[in-house]
Amino acid sequence: MDSIEPTTDTPDTPPPTVDVADATMSASELEEAKEYGKRGLICDLLGRGIDLVYLGLMVFVFAVPGSWLLLQIEALTASETLRLLTLAAVMVLLNLIVSFPLAFYSGHLLEHRYGLSRQSLAAWLWRYIKVHALGVAFFLTLLPGLYWIIWLSGSWWWIVAAVGYFFVSVIMGRVFPTVIMPLFHKFERLEDEPKNQGLRERMRRLSEGTGLSIEGVYRMVMSDETAKANAMLAGLGRSRRVILGDNLLDQFSAEEIEVIMAHEVGHHVFRHMTKIIGGVFVGSLAAFWLCDAILWKWSAGTGISAASGDLPYHSLPMLMLILTLFGLVMGPVGCAISRHFERQCDRYALQKTGLRDAYRSAFRKLAKLNKDDPAPHPLEVLLFHDHPPIAERIAAADH
Ligand SMILES: [Zn+2]
């Protein structure tokens, strides 16, 4: 791999800053952004392929002998739940091993190659361990819940499971900005200091009359990890907050930030969060119904029945394969809805602020900082992008 930055920890030196005063991309920058986008896409597709092959092998090669093996372990004979958790833990660990090389390439090497990451190897590894430890803990906590629903609620389990998933989504939405995100980033509430360019006052004006009672505007420290800039409206109900990356706050003008905040307010005005959770509920109903249609038949065909006579624990790989395939097929639908929401918010930001020049320069800066290909191939956008291409977003200011 060429041009990898040295991986020494230098926590006391300020991160390098990027001059984005002239945010128009040069021909070479454009080429670099296209190349970075293409490599990212290849990694994404490879990752999906690896997941599918891995799950396919689990279902059609390892599920039956593996479950027979687990049945021989005396400590596990008493409990189907214990066998389920053991199988799940083995599957997750194997998957982490299989997917690690690509995760390392796309998450660390590629980001350094394009000068986007400021993380040392140790910092990246620590982040990787934290993210996946949290993910595994969630998975192993929620999975027995799903199987108990299957075992206890009979033929309507898929509706009960979707309702359960709905409540988990709502709780996650609530605690995400207050509990989960602070595990990974430092947050500072923006106070009314001169350096904040009256942003809180601008935010107050933007949210006036929208019914948006945000908990606060926060500065998220990202510059120690990445050169990229980002902003979001996170949380549900009382935990809702506008989050602005420090790279964005430090390098964008007050007017550009106002446009971006207006876009985030738009997500609230159009009730996108509620709509997304509603959509996820409908999607999970369909996905669990599909599992219901396939799982029992498949499990019966393996010749190993559950101790309880109901769905055996070794149906887990098949359950995960169905949910993964469903997610892949529905991905473009979700992306299309998301792009529609983003366009709505872009129009809203333009109408609300009237700052067309700031809107254009904000997106040019974002493209330049994040090395975002302004105009990727339409098919790529259709299948994989949850935001419209930047060129299209900038053109919205002309209408
Ligand atoms: Zn948005």
Side-chain angles (χ1 to χ4, degrees):
M1 295 299 143
D2 47 78
S3 70
I4 297 165
E5 284 180 18
T7 54
T8 43
D9 255 319
T10 51
D12 295 321
T13 49
T17 51
V18 183
D19 181 17
V20 284
D22 171 24
T24 313
M25 273 177 153
S26 67
S28 65
E29 282 172 327
L30 196 64
E31 198 182 324
E32 193 187 24
K34 284 204 172 289
E35 196 188 273
Y36 171 64
K38 204 177 286 174
R39 282 173 194 258
L41 177 66
I42 291 170
C43 288
D44 181 28
L45 292 175
L46 257 178
R48 292 167 194 233
I50 290 171
D51 277 351
L52 280 183
V53 171
Y54 171 77
L55 282 173
L57 283 174
M58 281 289 149
V59 170
F60 298 108
V61 181
F62 295 113
V64 174
S67 57
W68 180 85
L69 212 67
L70 287 186
L71 282 168
Q72 312 308 309
I73 300 173
E74 205 160 321
L76 302 178
T77 46
S79 162
E80 185 87 348
T81 305
L82 220 52
R83 281 195 289 274
L84 175 75
L85 278 174
T86 311
L87 178 64
V90 171
M91 278 185 69
V92 166
L93 285 179
L94 279 177
N95 185 249
L96 280 178
I97 294 168
V98 170
S99 61
F100 182 80
L102 186 65
F104 177 62
Y105 174 74
S106 66
H108 187 69
L109 296 182
L110 199 63
E111 295 293 294
H112 273 283
R113 183 178 179 147
Y114 287 91
L116 289 166
S117 175
R118 293 168 179 167
Q119 265 181 320
S120 68
L121 177 61
W124 181 83
L125 270 175
W126 176 232
R127 149 72 55 113
Y128 181 85
I129 291 168
K130 272 205 296 189
V131 168
H132 288 89
L134 199 66
V136 172
F138 269 121
F139 179 64
L140 294 182
T141 309
L142 293 175
L143 185 70
L146 175 63
Y147 267 80
W148 289 337
I149 286 173
I150 294 175
W151 290 331
L152 297 175
S153 50
S155 53
W156 297 103
W157 73 268
W158 51 281
I159 297 176
V160 183
V163 172
Y165 189 66
F166 171 80
F167 283 110
V168 170
S169 310
V170 171
I171 293 166
M172 280 306 295
R174 281 240 165 184
V175 302
F176 192 71
T178 51
V179 180
I180 312 287
M181 287 183 82
L183 295 175
F184 299 97
H185 293 284
K186 255 187 263 163
F187 285 90
E188 297 155 12
R189 191 197 281 263
L190 278 193
E191 302 300 341
D192 265 335
E193 296 166 46
K195 69 171 178 142
N196 291 331
Q197 304 161 314
L199 288 180
R200 287 185 57 197
E201 174 54 24
R202 284 176 192 257
M203 185 62 208
R204 197 191 55 72
R205 266 187 280 126
L206 284 174
S207 48
E208 218 167 43
T210 65
L212 174 62
S213 55
I214 54 157
E215 192 265 338
V217 180
Y218 283 79
R219 175 191 185 91
M220 176 164 75
V221 179
M222 304 168 73
S223 57
D224 51 345
E225 291 190 348
T226 179
K228 291 180 178 177
N230 206 353
M232 68 194 79
L233 177 76
L236 270 178
R238 268 177 295 162
S239 75
R240 200 158 38 197
R241 57 191 61 190
V242 169
I243 294 170
L244 303 167
D246 57 348
N247 287 332
L248 190 130
L249 278 166
D250 294 342
Q251 297 179 53
F252 284 52
S253 73
E255 290 193 339
E256 287 164 347
I257 296 172
E258 180 175 339
V259 169
I260 290 167
M261 290 195 301
H263 171 101
E264 303 305 334
V265 171
H267 280 302
H268 162 75
V269 171
F270 297 109
R271 309 209 169 284
H272 288 162
M273 205 59 154
T274 315
K275 288 174 184 168
I276 288 169
I277 288 185
V280 167
F281 174 66
V282 174
S284 66
L285 260 182
F288 288 135
W289 175 83
L290 201 63
C291 291
D292 185 64
I294 298 171
L295 278 181
W296 272 260
K297 277 188 206 121
W298 179 81
S299 301
T302 64
I304 302 176
S305 56
S308 59
D310 204 328
L311 188 70
Y313 77 96
H314 73 272
S315 57
L316 175 65
M318 189 49 142
L319 175 93
M320 290 178 68
L321 180 63
I322 298 167
L323 294 180
T324 304
L325 278 171
F326 185 84
L328 286 179
V329 171
M330 294 309 288
V333 178
C335 282
I337 295 169
S338 170
R339 288 195 304 272
H340 169 66
F341 287 171
E342 295 303 325
R343 281 189 208 103
Q344 271 188 318
C345 292
D346 286 349
R347 281 196 297 272
Y348 179 82
L350 281 164
Q351 281 163 8
K352 184 87 179 174
T353 65
L355 300 168
R356 282 173 194 274
D357 288 339
Y359 173 96
R360 288 188 193 97
S361 62
F363 276 115
R364 287 203 187 101
K365 275 188 186 177
L366 277 175
K368 192 165 171 137
L369 272 178
N370 298 352
K371 304 205 172 171
D372 236 339
D373 179 358
H377 193 280
L379 188 64
E380 181 188 330
V381 176
L382 198 72
L383 294 176
F384 306 116
H385 286 216
D386 52 11
H387 282 61
I390 296 242
E392 183 195 319
R393 300 182 80 173
I394 293 174
D398 300 333
H399 301 304

